[in-house]
Amino acid sequence: MKNVLGFLGAVLILQGLGALGQELLGWFRLWGLVRRVGLFSGYELYAGIGLVVLGAAVIGAGESLGRRAAGPRERA
């Protein structure tokens, strides 16, 4: 589960950074989901920031689950 959440968090962070790069610098015009979702029209910058924050939270949750599953003896 930790690996799945880590992968999902990384994808969310990359999508958010792609959205930020597209909005602020004009890069990544053909890459990214934020541009393609009509719900975010006009709010692409905020959606990119939200995706980066959400991705970091998902990765943090995965790390927390990994530590909890390891038990108290295996924690470092």
Side-chain angles (χ1 to χ4, degrees), residues 7-20 28 31-32 51-52 55:
F7 176 75
L8 180 63
V11 168
L12 289 171
I13 288 174
L14 287 175
Q15 289 295 320
L17 291 175
L20 292 175
F28 305 116
W31 182 72
L51 283 174
V52 170

Side-chain angles (χ1 to χ4, degrees), residues 14-33:
L14 287 175
Q15 289 295 320
L17 291 175
L20 292 175
Q22 199 280 323
E23 285 300 310
L24 297 175
L25 304 172
W27 297 347
F28 305 116
R29 292 205 181 269
L30 298 175
W31 182 72
L33 296 175

Side-chain angles (χ1 to χ4, degrees), residues 36-70:
R36 295 176 180 11
V37 178
L39 177 69
F40 299 128
S41 180
Y43 298 100
E44 291 91 355
L45 182 65
Y46 301 113
I49 293 169
L51 283 174
V52 170
V53 171
L54 181 64
V58 168
I59 289 175
E63 291 292 325
S64 175
L65 285 175
R67 277 188 255 128
R68 190 178 323 164

